[in-house]
Amino acid sequence: MSEMNSMNSVEPMSSMEPVPAWKKGKQEVITQQFLLFMGAALGFGILYTFCMYQNPNGITYPVMIVSVYGVLFWMLKRLSIEWKRGSWFLASAAVLLGIAACRTADSLLIMMIKTAEFLLAVIFVMHQFYDDREWSIGKYLSSMAVYLCCVIAAAVYPFFQGKEFFRKANLKKYKTVSKVALGLAAALPILLAAGLLLGQADAVFGAIVVHWLEKILNVWTILIMIVMTAFGTFGVYCLICGACMDQISGEEKMVRTHEPVTAVTCMSAIALLYLFFCGIQVIYLFLGKGSLPEGVTYSSYARQGFFQLLFVAVMNLVMVLMNLKFFRKSRLLNGVLTVICGCTYVMIASAAYRMILYVREYHLTYLRVLVLWFLLLLACLMAGVVILIYKNRFPLFSWCLVLISVFFVGFSFMRPERVIAEYNVNHVKEWSDSDFQYMTQVLSADAVPVVLKVLEDDAVLERFYSGGKKKFLAEYYDWAVSRNYQVRSSDFRTWNLSFEKAEQSFRNCLLYTSPSPRDRSV
């Protein structure tokens, strides 16, 4: 009896012991299938290294993106999480951006694409794990911050989960795995010896083998590849483990509790100011009527205040959203906010008109393209805000996500530097020194085919470069293509459409005789 009592007294104590986070819910499923999840993550890590090593925007970049969502899809299926309808849009947008990356040589655009890819992956996982249909923009941003903290914290989970798995697993089941590893180790010296012999038998095969051996069998190269593989492996693994922590509340607290009188008073005063300002824009800027202050011309008047207008337009967007979030429903408040939204559209039109005048006089630059693109996007985003004023359950975050994704995919495929070159070539009547330097020393290989067409006229080039056309083309080639693009027949991974078109343009230039990197490698 005493033994029974002691056993009964022990059981409650053991049951009250805290359960580690990595053993709860879906984390326990991952722990039980640790080899499968870690194997899939490791496979992605190896593929990530193969695709991305010294290759920021090659043809393998979209392959890496497809593999990310393929691994995530497989992991979600193992966790019995259904693929949601909206996830197809996120995955498709990510793949399209991946394709756009290997079509451009624009370093700024590539950086923006990679940032967008990361955000899309984060939103994709959150959308799969949580019911986010009615989340506001603020709720989504705060949840993303919490989720990213969970992803970082989950970096230690593979070690705990692996230890727990092997502690309980029957290791006899995994003898086949050890035998496969032993076979691969035995094959390695044979592969090296046979590869060297076959390399001596065939010159092309030998060049490929020597290139890869020199590139890979290097201490720093091996170290970098190990780090990249670990990053890819732990990255995709922790994306899932961080979401499995379930640290984000699915419901959003109702905070529309404040009286709308204060908001109506404040917004009415601001709306009156905006109406007066918009009236001036219509009369003086759009219609060109009325008398301006002494010494001010219409051209100088139109070029003033663009960035101030842009800032006020964005401020209005935030201000309207804050009123809709914290103040109770009111028809009067809705009406005032609608007036502010209407005035914001006038400000956006005014800012766009001023920027168009800038472009007509000073031509296109990257910043001006970005600004015009953003103004069009902002006008579409404001439409969602207007709908939210009268339909409070409108999914504004989804509206913004879809619009931003579609606009940015279009912007990426547009290749802005090529658009800039084409516009400036067609609209600049006579190039200045700054125009020549901007087109040939600032714009990337995206603009090369357009620039070379203009420089076929020797008279144009002689005005800006005295060293001769052949020397200029060689220097231009080295700057725009050679220093960033070293494709070899043995390294197909780095193939890029923009660089290939630039190379082809140089080849087609009759006076250009220097060999391309591809020619030098043969």
Side-chain angles (χ1 to χ4, degrees):
M1 289 291 292
S2 60
E3 291 180 359
M4 292 291 293
N5 292 334
S6 62
M7 290 176 64
N8 292 336
S9 63
V10 170
E11 286 181 0
M13 291 179 62
S14 61
S15 63
M16 293 177 63
E17 291 179 359
V19 180
W22 50 269
K23 281 189 174 182
K24 295 178 181 178
K26 293 182 175 62
Q27 298 285 9
E28 190 170 359
V29 175
I30 298 177
T31 304
Q32 293 171 355
Q33 304 179 41
F34 175 77
L35 279 186
L36 292 174
F37 278 85
M38 181 51 69
L42 179 60
F44 168 75
I46 295 171
L47 181 63
Y48 170 80
T49 303
F50 171 77
C51 293
M52 300 302 297
Y53 175 70
Q54 293 185 348
N55 183 30
N57 59 327
I59 191 64
T60 54
Y61 185 84
V63 176
M64 186 272 294
I65 296 298
V66 172
S67 66
V68 169
Y69 288 90
V71 171
L72 290 176
F73 173 76
W74 181 87
M75 289 182 172
L76 292 170
K77 190 175 181 180
R78 300 296 299 186
L79 292 170
S80 301
I81 298 176
E82 295 292 331
W83 186 284
K84 294 182 180 178
R85 183 178 58 182
S87 298
W88 287 111
F89 173 81
L90 296 170
S92 300
V95 173
L96 288 174
L97 288 176
I99 296 172
C102 66
R103 295 180 70 254
T104 182
D106 182 352
S107 57
L108 177 59
L109 180 59
I110 293 168
M111 183 184 69
M112 291 191 292
I113 287 175
K114 291 184 177 180
T115 303
E117 295 280 19
F118 172 74
L119 294 176
L120 284 172
V122 169
I123 295 171
F124 170 84
V125 177
M126 291 179 61
H127 177 66
Q128 283 292 138
F129 276 83
Y130 299 99
D131 184 6
D132 57 354
R133 288 173 294 182
E134 296 185 4
W135 284 6
S136 66
I137 294 178
K139 169 66 176 176
Y140 226 111
L141 293 178
S142 61
S143 298
M144 286 176 66
V146 173
Y147 170 60
L148 290 176
C149 291
C150 292
V151 170
I152 296 172
V156 298
Y157 275 34
F159 303 101
F160 291 119
Q161 290 169 340
K163 180 181 178 182
E164 182 73 9
F165 173 81
F166 287 110
R167 185 178 67 84
K168 295 181 178 180
N170 182 6
L171 297 181
K172 293 182 180 180
K173 296 180 179 179
Y174 303 102
K175 284 186 176 180
T176 304
V177 177
S178 62
K179 292 178 180 178
V180 171
L182 183 62
L184 290 174
L188 184 60
I190 300 174
L191 287 172
L192 289 174
L196 291 174
L197 291 173
L198 292 174
Q200 294 176 356
D202 185 277
V204 176
F205 182 79
I208 296 173
V209 171
V210 170
H211 170 73
W212 278 93
L213 288 179
E214 289 178 349
K215 192 172 183 179
I216 294 178
L217 293 184
N218 176 285
V219 175
W220 286 109
T221 299
I222 294 173
L223 180 61
I224 293 171
M225 286 186 171
I226 291 174
V227 171
M228 290 183 67
T229 302
F231 175 79
T233 301
F234 280 77
V236 73
Y237 192 95
C238 293
L239 276 177
I240 294 296
C241 287
C244 289
M245 288 184 183
D246 199 22
Q247 295 296 310
I248 301 173
S249 172
E251 297 182 357
E252 186 174 8
K253 293 181 180 179
M254 184 65 179
V255 292
R256 296 194 69 173
T257 57
H258 295 79
E259 286 291 336
V261 176
T262 304
V264 170
T265 305
C266 177
M267 293 297 104
S268 297
I270 295 173
L272 289 174
L273 174 65
Y274 286 173
L275 287 171
F276 179 70
F277 177 83
C278 291
I280 292 177
Q281 300 304 295
V282 172
I283 295 172
Y284 285 82
L285 185 63
F286 299 136
L287 299 180
K289 297 181 179 180
S291 57
L292 295 175
E294 186 177 352
V296 178
T297 63
Y298 274 104
S299 60
S300 62
Y301 169 72
R303 289 194 298 270
Q304 291 175 354
F306 164 78
F307 287 103
Q308 292 88 333
L309 282 170
L310 183 61
F311 178 81
V312 173
V314 175
M315 183 182 71
N316 291 346
L317 175 66
V318 176
M319 190 166 54
V320 172
L321 291 177
M322 290 298 99
N323 277 274
L324 293 174
K325 182 176 179 65
F326 294 107
F327 292 94
R328 289 206 294 263
K329 296 180 182 180
S330 167
R331 291 184 178 179
L332 186 57
L333 179 59
N334 289 348
V336 174
L337 294 179
T338 303
V339 171
I340 290 179
C341 289
C343 292
T344 303
Y345 271 110
V346 176
M347 294 177 187
I348 293 173
S350 177
Y353 184 62
R354 292 166 189 261
M355 181 51 67
I356 290 171
L357 292 177
Y358 270 121
V359 170
R360 286 178 180 175
E361 184 163 347
Y362 299 107
H363 320 308
L364 267 184
T365 62
Y366 207 109
L367 178 60
R368 290 163 196 167
V369 172
L370 273 176
V371 165
L372 290 171
W373 173 83
F374 178 73
L375 286 172
L376 182 59
L377 173 61
L378 183 61
C380 296
L381 295 179
M382 284 300 301
V385 176
V386 175
I387 297 173
L388 184 67
I389 292 175
Y390 297 97
K391 187 179 179 182
N392 298 133
R393 299 178 70 87
F394 178 72
L396 183 63
F397 181 82
S398 299
W399 170 268
C400 294
L401 178 62
V402 170
L403 280 177
I404 293 173
S405 299
V406 171
F407 269 68
F408 188 63
V409 168
F411 182 79
S412 301
F413 274 86
M414 180 182 70
R415 293 194 295 169
E417 290 193 327
R418 183 180 178 88
V419 172
I420 293 168
E422 289 177 342
Y423 179 89
N424 290 347
V425 164
N426 293 326
H427 293 82
V428 177
K429 295 180 181 179
E430 185 174 348
W431 283 16
S432 63
D433 290 337
S434 60
D435 292 328
F436 179 78
Q437 291 178 2
Y438 183 76
M439 297 285 279
T440 59
Q441 299 179 24
V442 176
L443 300 183
S444 70
D446 289 1
V448 165
V450 179
V451 174
L452 288 182
K453 284 185 179 179
V454 177
L455 298 181
E456 288 177 357
D457 184 355
D458 294 344
V460 175
L461 181 60
E462 288 173 359
R463 289 180 50 219
F464 306 104
Y465 190 84
S466 59
K469 188 172 184 179
K470 184 177 179 180
K471 183 179 178 182
F472 167 77
L473 290 174
E475 293 179 357
Y476 186 30
Y477 177 85
D478 288 335
W479 182 89
V481 180
S482 181
R483 71 189 181 101
N484 295 313
Y485 189 56
Q486 291 88 30
V487 164
R488 301 289 189 272
S489 58
S490 59
D491 196 2
F492 66 92
R493 305 173 308 119
T494 58
W495 186 92
N496 179 280
L497 178 64
S498 178
F499 284 118
E500 284 295 317
K501 286 188 174 182
E503 278 201 337
Q504 187 62 44
S505 297
F506 279 108
R507 291 192 195 104
N508 293 337
C509 200
L510 297 177
L511 295 179
Y512 182 66
T513 58
S514 297
S516 70
R518 188 186 297 278
D519 298 328
R520 288 196 292 264
S521 66
V522 178

